[in-house]
Amino acid sequence: MALRGDWMYENNGGTCVAIAGIDYCVVAADTRLSVGYNILTRDHSKICSLADKVVLASSGFQGDIRALHKNLAARHLLYQHQHNKQMSCPAMGQLLSNTLYYKRFFPYYAFNVLGGLDNEGKGCVFTYDAVGSYERVGYSAQGSGSSLIMPVLDNQLKSPSPLLLPARDAVTPLSETEAVDLVKDVFASATERDIYTGDKLEIVVINASGIKREYLELRKD
Amino acid sequence: MGRMTELPTKGGFSFDLCTRNDMLLKNGLQMPPFRKTGTTIVGLVFQDGVVLGADTRATEGPIVADKNCEKIHFMAPNIYCCGAGTAADTEAVTDMVSSQLQLHRYATGRESRVVTALTLLKSHLFSYQGHVSAALVLGGFDVTGPHLHTVYPHGSTDTLPFATMGSGSLAAMSVFESKYREGLTREEGIELVAEAICAGIFNDLGSGSNVDVCVITEGKTEYLRNYQLPNPRTYISSKGYTFVKGQTEVLSTKITSIQPKVEAVEGGDAMEE
């Protein structure tokens, strides 16, 4: 791998997925960290719990991702001090977009998926590009395996655009267990064909009773 | 400058566009990268012969193109060759030399020798100056005994008691350097080869899936395809997927009958292969 003096980024690989349901949200990411053809670690979490009802999953350059998560966590603490309450998912969504655009000319090499519950308790997923363009959607995949996973989610979940009028629910009618089952199957499939996805899958489910974490072993080759 | 007498067309590559490519590079064009299929291939010599090993993953950049391809190629009944590098190149060069060896066997009336295959491979690769991207581990057993060689894309060769090639070669070599010794038994040899390939499969992202092994001894060759399958799929949805009519939007339908009536004939000739 040729190293030029001015190339300051590195892609550590990995895939993130989020699906919004009627009263829950599933956020999942694999735990493999790689560089080039090497594996740095099989057990690295890409998911960050930002607030009670907000979880961020990011793939890309881990140096930038660590910095981004730290930045958002600090801003959330300030918010709590000033407003005496936790940030809602849409509020965090806007904050993340602004934080990313702030570095428009030296971007965070991070591909983000924000998941949580909105103010009405419904599942809420925001998907971002590297410089802060974002949209609320019913489901999303980002990272090296995203092009393998998105078409399957499109086929199975097919949520309408939130921009359509009359406003239709972007969230999927699937139950929590069905959504988790879909996420597991879709990651197992992505692992078969993407060399940067594998090792272990971390699944985080947010619902009215809080945040629950689950793990699934993936192929280690 | 008038037109000179036409020179007869030469075989091989034409390097006419090299000046143009240099100019483009100077003007900032990014050359597309060569597709190198990540691989782990190994070979070792044990007391009765040679053992060859390979993984089974073929990649196109970050995507797995084939989860169970065959990287141990047939050269002669007593000679096999593992190939790393550009898949088309390894296939083409091993097929070509295999055919040449067969013709040679008919001409000489003798069993092929490993050094013959080696010389044919190295002279072909050297004449293409490294543009045929094939890195090979050649092993076999002939009248002069067991042989193991590595062949590099530019045409150099090494003769070794144990060898590894491909993107996973460092992972596999670390196993060999720790555990190899002279006079291994057949079982020990196979175990060590499998362990080395597994090191490549699990630690190199360019290698993966299954372990193929080939054992060549005096008068006998065993091709153990998928000797180990250490990577089963970890999860499959029990629900399955149904694709109902209507999931893919049909914009228009037009049915044209080719023959008004078709009579199905039972039996008839079998289709040619």
Side-chain angles (χ1 to χ4, degrees):
Chain A
M1 234 119 314
L3 285 165
R4 283 165 47 196
D6 58 340
W7 184 248
M8 287 156 295
Y9 298 109
E10 188 178 81
N11 191 347
N12 297 118
T15 312
C16 307
V17 164
I19 301 180
I22 297 183
D23 60 350
Y24 67 89
C25 184
V26 180
V27 178
D30 70 322
T31 61
R32 172 178 282 177
L33 206 65
S34 49
V35 73
Y37 272 141
N38 300 314
I39 298 177
L40 294 173
T41 179
R42 299 188 194 272
D43 199 5
H44 182 268
S45 174
K46 294 183 182 67
I47 300 182
C48 178
S49 253
L50 290 171
D52 265 357
K53 301 282 188 310
V54 184
V55 160
L56 173 63
S58 324
S59 86
F61 174 39
Q62 280 302 318
D64 275 351
I65 289 167
R66 282 290 176 99
L68 178 65
H69 287 189
K70 200 172 170 190
N71 192 332
L72 291 172
R75 288 299 306 270
H76 182 235
L77 192 58
L78 276 172
Y79 182 98
Q80 285 180 289
H81 288 152
Q82 287 170 354
H83 298 87
N84 198 24
K85 67 172 181 175
Q86 296 265 334
M87 265 177 107
S88 67
C89 196
M92 186 61 85
Q94 185 68 59
L95 177 63
L96 175 54
S97 171
N98 293 342
T99 311
L100 292 170
Y101 197 77
Y102 191 73
K103 273 169 64 67
R104 169 67 179 83
F105 298 109
F106 182 12
Y108 286 108
Y109 194 121
F111 300 101
N112 303 293
V113 175
L114 188 77
L117 301 177
D118 65 10
N119 295 314
E120 294 155 29
K122 282 217 299 264
C124 175
V125 170
F126 293 97
T127 186
Y128 296 78
D129 72 354
V131 285
S133 161
Y134 81 120
E135 186 190 1
R136 181 169 178 177
V137 286
Y139 57 87
S140 177
Q142 291 279 358
S144 59
S146 63
S147 43
L148 297 166
I149 293 177
M150 263 318 249
V152 180
L153 295 182
D154 282 338
N155 177 268
Q156 295 296 303
L157 302 174
K158 206 179 193 177
S159 75
S161 168
L163 302 168
L164 279 177
L165 288 171
R168 272 155 62 202
D169 249 350
V171 298
T172 176
L174 286 179
S175 75
E176 196 181 299
T177 25
E178 285 175 323
V180 171
D181 177 71
L182 176 63
V183 160
K184 287 178 177 175
D185 196 35
V186 119
F187 259 95
S189 307
T191 304
E192 297 276 317
R193 291 289 175 175
D194 178 28
I195 61 177
Y196 296 120
T197 303
D199 289 331
K200 208 160 69 172
L201 173 64
E202 185 181 3
I203 307 167
V204 171
V205 183
I206 310 134
N207 53 24
S209 30
I211 298 183
K212 203 175 52 179
R213 216 164 283 254
E214 188 185 338
Y215 294 93
L216 169 72
E217 290 297 317
L218 296 173
R219 273 174 71 144
K220 301 191 184 321
D221 64 350
Chain B
M1 234 185 303
R3 185 54 94 75
M4 308 293 231
T5 35
E6 284 290 341
L7 288 162
T9 48
K10 288 183 284 207
F13 293 99
S14 155
F15 292 95
D16 296 335
L17 291 171
C18 281
T19 16
R20 180 206 75 153
N21 289 344
D22 279 334
M23 183 272 292
L24 285 170
L25 280 171
K26 220 172 279 153
N27 289 352
L29 172 76
Q30 299 275 43
M31 279 286 278
F34 282 120
R35 288 283 160 71
K36 286 225 134 193
T37 52
T39 295
T40 309
I41 50 173
V42 305
L44 64 71
V45 177
F46 70 106
Q47 68 190 29
D48 303 321
V50 300
V51 185
L52 300 174
D55 75 305
T56 62
R57 173 183 281 183
T59 53
E60 271 178 17
I63 301 294
V64 177
D66 191 344
K67 292 188 276 188
N68 204 191
C69 71
E70 287 186 33
K71 300 186 190 184
I72 306 185
H73 308 284
F74 173 88
M75 296 285 262
N78 59 322
I79 307 173
Y80 274 74
C81 187
C82 307
T86 305
D89 286 338
T90 57
E91 279 292 338
V93 87
T94 48
D95 275 355
M96 187 194 78
V97 171
S98 170
S99 304
Q100 289 177 327
L101 285 175
Q102 189 169 34
L103 289 167
H104 193 250
R105 277 201 294 282
Y106 292 140
T108 58
R110 292 182 169 85
E111 193 185 55
S112 294
R113 301 191 187 193
V114 182
V115 285
T116 318
L118 184 69
T119 309
L120 289 167
L121 285 167
K122 70 152 71 181
S123 45
H124 177 84
L125 291 174
F126 179 75
S127 71
Y128 280 88
Q129 288 292 293
H131 291 283
V132 175
S133 181
L136 312 165
V137 171
L138 175 71
F141 198 113
D142 59 30
V143 285
T144 39
H147 295 275
L148 179 70
H149 304 280
T150 50
V151 189
Y152 290 83
H154 285 264
S156 65
T157 58
D158 287 320
T159 307
L160 299 161
F162 57 95
T164 66
M165 296 285 259
S167 57
S169 62
L170 272 70
M173 188 51 97
S174 66
V175 173
F176 275 174
E177 288 288 11
S178 313
K179 299 188 174 178
Y180 180 82
R181 57 188 165 76
E182 275 182 47
L184 290 163
T185 65
R186 188 201 132 91
E187 284 69 36
E188 288 173 332
I190 295 175
E191 272 317 298
L192 189 54
V193 158
E195 204 181 329
I197 296 290
C198 280
I201 285 175
F202 291 111
N203 300 111
D204 173 43
L205 295 176
S207 314
S209 292
N210 316 122
V211 181
D212 280 355
V213 170
C214 186
V215 188
I216 310 173
T217 49
E218 185 172 4
K220 185 164 126 162
T221 307
E222 275 170 271
Y223 184 61
L224 305 167
R225 168 76 170 150
N226 286 1
Y227 174 73
Q228 274 183 9
L229 297 111
N231 287 298
R233 194 191 158 103
T234 53
Y235 187 86
I236 186 120
S237 169
S238 42
K239 209 172 62 154
Y241 295 93
T242 46
F243 300 99
V244 294
K245 261 192 181 163
Q247 206 152 24
T248 304
E249 214 180 306
V250 177
L251 299 174
S252 70
T253 317
K254 180 179 171 189
I255 305 173
T256 316
S257 52
I258 298 167
Q259 256 185 285
K261 207 189 267 182
V262 178
E263 273 176 43
V265 179
E266 291 296 305
D269 292 332
M271 272 185 17
E272 254 184 81
E273 269 290 312

